[in-house]
Amino acid sequence: DHFPPGATPFKIAMKRLILSVLLIAAHGAAPFYTGTWKIEKAVVAPWWTEKQIPDPVESKELVGKTLSIRANNITGPGLLNCPGPRIKVHQAPANGLFQGMLENLPNQPAALTSLGFQGKQWKTVTTGCENELDFHFVNDRTLTFALNNYIYFAAKQ
């Protein structure tokens, strides 16, 4: 190797390390939604108006399970599996969450707050899967989705 005058092996190694980190960051940053997510809880959706809660069997089967989201595959329990998703990311307003189910709620602001949504728009991942699930992000570490009148909350692992 030919090194410039005054270059020490330590300085050269540090410059190479910094360059390597920058190259990896520029080319290998994974999208915010990819990774493993643990379904931590399910709550009855605010649009549900019946006295009886919706059937809790499915919600009990999903809570505690994990969901893995990759660019080319979504795996999880039951309906959550989706080989070959057609993922699109966009910002959704309140009326765009949960396939518009919050749109006509008279208490929409309170419902959003109770679900943890702050602000006016939220990152949404449309999967294009047969199950028609969309993932709405309360923040980069918490995603939500609606299924059979429950809203599920999953935390990034």
Side-chain angles (χ1 to χ4, degrees), residues 5 13-14 31 43 55 62 65 86 113 134 139 142 145 147 152:
M14 288 306 294
V43 298
D55 186 359
L62 294 179
K65 302 292 192 308
R86 295 174 307 284
T113 300
D134 296 337
N139 55 53
T142 306
F145 63 92
L147 186 62
Y152 295 87

Side-chain angles (χ1 to χ4, degrees), residues 33-44:
Y33 57 84
T34 60
T36 301
W37 301 81
K38 184 176 182 183
I39 302 169
E40 296 189 327
K41 69 177 181 174
V43 298
V44 175

Side-chain angles (χ1 to χ4, degrees), residues 3-14:
F3 301 113
T8 65
F10 177 77
K11 286 181 181 177
I12 294 167
M14 288 306 294

Side-chain angles (χ1 to χ4, degrees), residues 18-148:
I18 291 169
L19 181 58
S20 296
V21 168
L22 290 174
L23 286 172
I24 290 169
H27 294 287
F32 70 94
Y33 57 84
T34 60
T36 301
W37 301 81
K38 184 176 182 183
I39 302 169
E40 296 189 327
K41 69 177 181 174
V43 298
V44 175
W47 56 81
W48 183 260
T49 58
E50 306 295 320
K51 286 185 181 187
Q52 293 281 17
I53 64 169
D55 186 359
V57 171
E58 184 176 64
S59 68
K60 290 178 182 176
E61 290 176 0
L62 294 179
V63 172
K65 302 292 192 308
T66 57
L67 171 69
S68 176
I69 303 174
R70 305 281 181 258
N72 62 352
N73 196 18
I74 299 173
T75 57
L79 281 175
L80 301 181
N81 283 313
C82 177
R86 295 174 307 284
I87 292 176
K88 293 181 183 170
V89 178
H90 64 279
Q91 293 286 322
N95 293 344
L97 300 177
F98 310 114
Q99 298 181 345
M101 294 300 293
L102 299 175
E103 187 170 3
N104 295 318
L105 287 181
N107 63 342
Q108 185 189 70
L112 286 166
T113 300
S114 73
L115 296 171
F117 289 97
Q118 303 293 320
K120 303 277 186 207
Q121 293 190 345
W122 302 273
K123 293 177 187 173
T124 293
V125 171
T126 303
T127 63
C129 298
E130 189 174 315
N131 60 23
E132 298 182 358
L133 287 181
D134 296 337
F135 301 118
H136 308 288
F137 291 78
V138 173
N139 55 53
D140 283 348
R141 305 224 36 99
T142 306
L143 71 76
T144 63
F145 63 92
L147 186 62
N148 296 332

